[in-house]
């Protein structure tokens, strides 16, 4: 697979977006889920600032920041010294939505959208007058695809599905720190794909990178007294000494919902057969 793309074509290069997302994770110093996206962004020398802090520093209103960024979510600016500033709206209540915005903006940077198109500012979710509409749509779709594959890498989903023999929307939300919409997207994609075969070598490297975390995460139990996670073979919590614990059972959707939220919702679930294939 090549990591080059023709910037003159109006069509999004989804293969490049996926390759770049996976390689960004492979080359990172991150080994746990959900992905610590702010840590990774800062490792590239990108300065991250909230809308509120930017407004305070510049002595302007939040409305002016939104107007300047042309987005209620976030934007990335290439400054005159060649450095990058990523702004995001910290007043948005959904942490999953903020994480997606950060991943989206990181996608613009990794895919070199600013350099290829010589644009100073690219915003999420709004068409900018200084961009051709086709060009803007291409950049946005590539950044969106990067964000999806970066936050929820399918090779890692496959590892978790193999471990649990099951996957559903609440589990994806909990493990990857995303919102319901991208979680539904992953479930639908897995339903259509119905296989777990990957040919790209970076996918194999990505699976190896997170295998220790996955093995440890799903062989622990949680103390209900102090919330400490400890080995499933231990009879007592090493922190508080209690033996009142719970072993995560992600097949019990009702239980996992109660542990995460007081809202009761119905979600699609995927189950596997004895050979690891998604059942019809």
């Amino acid at each position: 697979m090549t990591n080059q793309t023709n910037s003159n074509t109006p069509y999004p290069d989804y293969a490049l977006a996926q390759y770049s997302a996976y390689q960004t994770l492979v080359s990172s110093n991150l080994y746990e889920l959900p992905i610590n996206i702010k840590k990774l962004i800062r490792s590239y020398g990108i300065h991250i600032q909230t809308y509120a802090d930017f407004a305070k520093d510049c002595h302007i209103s939040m409305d002016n920041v939104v107007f300047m960024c042309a987005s209620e979510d976030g934007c990335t600016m290439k400054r005159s010294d060649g450095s990058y500033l990523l702004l995001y709206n910290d007043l948005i209540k959904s942490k999953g939505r903020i994480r997606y915005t950060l991943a989206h903006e990181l996608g613009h940077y990794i895919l070199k959208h600013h350099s290829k198109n010589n644009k100073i500012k690219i915003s999420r979710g709004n068409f900018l007058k200084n961009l051709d509409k086709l060009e803007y749509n291409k950049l946005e779709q590539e950044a969106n695809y990067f964000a999806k594959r970066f936050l929820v890498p399918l090779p890692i989903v496959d590892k978790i599905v193999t471990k649990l023999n099951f996957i559903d929307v609440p589990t994806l939300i909990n493990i990857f720190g995303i919102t319901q919409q991208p979680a539904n997207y992953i479930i639908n994609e897995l339903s259509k794909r119905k296989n777990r075969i990957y040919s790209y070598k970076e996918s194999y490297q990505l699976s190896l990178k997170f295998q220790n975390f996955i093995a440890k995460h799903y062989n622990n139990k949680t103390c209900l007294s102090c919330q400490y996670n400890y080995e499933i073979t231990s009879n007592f919590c090493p922190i508080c000494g209690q033996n009142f614990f719970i072993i995560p059972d992600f097949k019990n959707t009702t239980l996992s919902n109660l542990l995460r939220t007081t809202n009761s919702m119905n979600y699609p679930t995927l189950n596997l057969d004895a050979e690891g294939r998604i059942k019809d």
Side-chain angles (χ1 to χ4, degrees):
M1 175 182 289
T2 179
N3 62 353
Q4 299 295 321
T5 184
N6 181 3
S7 60
N8 294 322
T9 177
Y11 303 108
D13 192 338
Y14 295 119
L16 173 65
Q18 175 173 291
Y19 175 87
S20 300
Y22 289 171
Q23 283 301 100
T24 299
L25 289 170
V26 168
S27 61
S28 74
N29 291 321
L30 303 179
Y31 300 91
E32 297 183 352
L33 301 172
I35 301 299
N36 188 336
I37 187 169
K38 288 184 179 179
K39 180 180 179 180
L40 181 59
I41 289 173
R42 292 190 178 101
S43 72
Y44 286 97
I46 301 172
H47 181 66
I48 306 174
Q49 193 170 22
T50 66
Y51 277 18
D53 285 344
F54 186 82
K56 182 179 179 180
D57 290 347
C58 296
H59 305 288
I60 59 177
S61 68
M62 283 287 289
D63 288 341
N64 283 336
V65 176
V66 172
F67 178 79
M68 181 198 70
C69 290
S71 173
E72 292 185 358
D73 290 285
C75 73
T76 304
M77 303 179 187
K78 186 176 182 180
R79 298 187 283 201
S80 58
D81 61 358
S83 64
Y84 287 84
L85 171 64
L86 192 163
L87 299 175
Y88 72 94
N89 191 346
D90 49 319
L91 297 185
I92 291 175
K93 294 182 179 180
S94 170
K95 292 183 179 180
R97 179 174 168 181
I98 289 177
R99 284 173 54 77
Y100 189 88
T101 295
L102 293 172
H104 177 98
E105 296 303 325
L106 176 63
H108 282 309
Y109 173 84
I110 295 294
L111 295 168
K112 303 184 186 304
H113 286 164
H114 298 81
S115 301
K116 290 176 181 177
N117 296 276
N118 196 29
K119 305 303 179 186
I120 296 176
K121 177 177 65 180
I122 299 179
S123 301
R124 180 192 166 198
N126 280 293
F127 170 66
L128 299 180
K129 293 181 180 179
N130 64 335
L131 281 173
D132 174 83
K133 189 171 184 178
L134 286 177
E135 181 185 13
Y136 171 80
N137 287 337
K138 174 188 173 182
L139 301 186
E140 284 297 282
Q141 290 179 52
E142 288 181 352
N144 279 334
Y145 203 78
F146 175 96
K148 292 174 183 177
R149 290 295 186 254
F150 174 83
L151 290 174
V152 192
L154 288 183
I156 306 304
V157 175
D158 285 340
K159 280 279 188 181
I160 293 171
V161 170
T162 300
K163 184 77 173 177
L164 299 179
N165 203 36
F166 146 91
I167 199 73
D168 71 352
V169 166
T171 303
L172 288 171
I173 291 173
N174 182 59
I175 294 173
F176 294 101
I178 57 176
T179 60
Q180 184 178 343
Q181 184 175 354
N184 282 331
Y185 171 84
I186 294 297
I187 291 290
N188 292 334
E189 191 168 24
L190 291 175
S191 298
K192 293 176 182 177
R193 185 164 55 91
K194 294 186 179 179
N195 67 70
R196 304 182 353 265
I197 299 173
Y198 285 87
S199 59
Y200 303 144
K201 65 178 182 180
E202 70 267 20
S203 296
Y204 175 71
Q205 295 169 350
L206 192 56
S207 299
L208 289 178
K209 189 177 184 72
F210 290 92
Q211 68 178 1
N212 289 336
F213 173 82
I214 293 172
K216 179 180 178 180
H217 186 77
Y218 295 113
N219 285 288
N220 283 3
K221 55 188 177 183
T222 301
C223 176
L224 290 182
S225 176
C226 68
Q227 302 301 308
Y228 182 75
N229 290 320
Y230 58 101
E231 293 294 328
I232 203 168
T233 54
S234 300
N235 293 324
F236 297 92
C237 175
I239 300 299
C240 67
Q242 298 294 319
N243 64 347
F244 187 40
F245 59 86
I246 186 168
I247 300 174
D249 180 8
F250 289 98
K251 288 187 178 181
N252 188 339
T253 304
T254 301
L255 175 60
S256 55
N257 276 344
L258 288 174
L259 291 175
R260 283 189 280 269
T261 177
T262 56
N263 296 325
S264 177
M265 301 181 69
N266 294 320
Y267 298 98
T269 300
L270 295 181
N271 291 294
L272 305 183
D273 61 21
E275 297 181 0
R277 295 188 296 263
I278 295 177
K279 297 177 181 179
D280 291 322

